[in-house]
Every structure is written in C-alpha cells, then in structure tokens.
Amino acid sequence: GDSVTQMEGPVTLSEEAFLTINCTYTATGYPSLFWYVQYPGEGLQLLLKATKADDKGSNKGFEATYRKETTSFHLEKGSVQVSDSAVYFCALRGSGGGADGLTFGKGTHLIIQP
Amino acid sequence: EAQVTQNPRYLITVTGKKLTVTCSQNMNHEYMSWYRQDPGLGLRQIYYSMNVEVTDKGDVPEGYKVSRKEKRNFPLILESPSPNQTSLYFCASSNFPNSYEQYFGPGTRLTVT
C-alpha cells in the first residue's frame, strides 16, 4: 500500500536558518502530494501541494518540488522564523480514484529558536 | 468563514461509557472523514463518507461508528470506549472529487480511563 516517510525530529534550528524536511513516498501511479502544518493546539492546515511530477508547490516562503524519479517531496524554506515552529506532515493521495483519505507521514516537529 | 467544527474539544471519560464527538462543516462538502492522531503513528483514517447515508471504513475502524444523516454533520460514536482509544481526533471535509485537499477541524482530545 501507499506510505510516506519523513524525519520525525524534533528538528531545532535558529531563526533565519535554512530549512529542509525530507519526505519520500511509496505509491503506484501518480499520487498528489501535500504538506500540512499543525500549530500548537490547532488542527492541520494545508501548506502547499503538487499534483503532478515536477510541479512546485509554494506558500508562505515554503517550497516543495514533486520529484517522480526520487519519489520525494522535500519541504524547504530559505529563512525560518520563530512563528514557523509547528509539526509538519507530508501526505499523499493515491491515484487510484477511490474515496479513501490521505496517507500521512508521522510528522516532523520543528522548533525555531530566536 | 469556511470551517470545520468539532465538539467537545476535550473529553475525559471512563471505559464503557458511550460517547459521541460531533463534527460539522459549512462548506457544502460531500466528503467527510475522521482521523486519529497518535504519537509516532501520525494520522490514521477511521471512517469516511462520500455523501449522505454513504460511509466506509478507513484504516482503523474497530471500536468506532459513524453516521451521515445530513451533509453538514458527521458524528463519531464510541459505543464502548476503551483506554486504547485515548487519542487526538480530527474531523475533515473535502470537495472531493473536485479536489483532494482536506480541511481539518481543531481536534478533540479524548482520554479514556
């Protein structure tokens, strides 16, 4: 079945550092890929998405590129802020056409120190 | 404001005492879903519903029931809760099949003693 693998952390960085959170996936066909963010005490919010190979999703300074050849969707940001501290989830939606839900990674806890 | 609401946000109960967690969305989405979030396991889907009166099992349905009598509401029912159902629960809705993006509620933290 489909699966998503990401580093769990916690990942601790200083403010203005460069961020990479790795995400790799296993799925048949051409899944849609997502990054969700969960701030403390809140539900998940969609951060960005990509629906086909080589697409780049971007939002709030974050970027991720759908790499079919390496089955990856790494999240990057050039200069993180304290307000970026949250848990980040990589997720995929299989291309099978059914109505089942997203497959999530286990989440990466990001801590940004001032 | 487009949103998914859940109630209660926090619940402590005892083993075997039936409970219901409500979920409501105001986006006219046909697709709704329940997930549980556990440390080290991420989010796992419990049940989903493609439309009124249409529900199906997700990855971890044991011990849960759902109903979908109206498009906006999708309650999660634990008829006889057990301690292994202590978790953080999220309801989500989606404009499936037009979009796979899911909108999540704020979560319900359930403790079963």
Side-chain angles (χ1 to χ4, degrees):
Chain A
D2 297 343
S3 66
V4 176
T5 301
Q6 62 179 113
M7 58 174 73
E8 292 186 42
V11 173
T12 303
L13 296 173
S14 298
E15 203 165 23
E16 299 184 3
F18 185 87
L19 168 71
T20 300
I21 300 178
N22 290 337
C23 171
T24 57
Y25 67 88
T26 301
T28 56
Y30 295 86
S32 296
L33 301 174
F34 305 85
W35 276 101
Y36 279 82
V37 59
Q38 184 181 28
Y39 298 105
E42 298 183 12
L44 281 72
Q45 303 172 26
L46 180 67
L47 181 60
L48 54 84
K49 65 182 179 182
T51 57
K52 61 182 188 294
D54 299 326
D55 266 3
K56 177 185 284 188
S58 61
N59 186 25
K60 299 181 181 180
F62 290 89
E63 294 183 340
T65 301
Y66 187 160
R67 301 287 188 198
K68 180 69 174 175
E69 64 276 14
T70 55
T71 62
S72 65
F73 193 53
H74 305 323
L75 182 68
E76 297 182 335
K77 186 176 185 182
S79 177
V80 293
Q81 306 300 312
V82 172
S83 58
D84 294 325
S85 298
V87 180
Y88 292 81
F89 292 91
C90 185
L92 70 81
R93 173 59 171 82
S95 58
D100 47 330
L102 300 175
T103 298
F104 286 88
K106 295 182 179 180
T108 299
H109 186 195
L110 176 64
I111 301 169
I112 306 301
Q113 296 178 332
Chain B
E1 179 189 356
Q3 59 182 352
V4 178
T5 57
Q6 296 178 225
N7 282 291
R9 294 289 312 277
Y10 303 91
L11 180 59
I12 301 173
T13 189
V14 296
T15 299
K17 185 177 182 180
K18 181 179 179 179
L19 66 91
T20 298
V21 183
T22 64
C23 172
S24 182
Q25 50 93 6
N26 63 1
M27 293 169 278
N28 203 36
H29 287 164
E30 293 184 350
Y31 184 94
M32 297 185 74
S33 180
W34 277 101
Y35 294 86
R36 61 178 289 174
Q37 181 182 13
D38 301 290
L41 296 176
L43 278 84
R44 295 175 293 169
Q45 190 180 47
I46 303 170
Y47 269 95
Y48 62 93
S49 170
M50 290 184 66
N51 211 329
V52 175
E53 303 293 358
V54 180
T55 63
D56 210 343
K57 297 178 180 178
D59 298 318
V60 288
E62 294 77 20
Y64 304 95
K65 286 177 57 176
V66 292
S67 70
R68 189 88 182 275
K69 299 189 186 306
E70 307 165 278
K71 182 183 273 193
R72 64 183 293 124
N73 296 323
F74 190 45
L76 179 69
I77 303 158
L78 284 72
E79 299 236 334
S80 184
S82 62
N84 64 12
Q85 293 178 298
T86 292
S87 187
L88 181 57
Y89 291 88
F90 289 100
C91 181
S93 72
S94 169
N95 193 23
F96 178 87
N98 300 311
S99 169
Y100 294 137
E101 176 183 347
Q102 297 203 10
Y103 295 81
F104 284 81
T108 295
R109 185 166 292 283
L110 172 65
T111 302
V112 183
T113 61

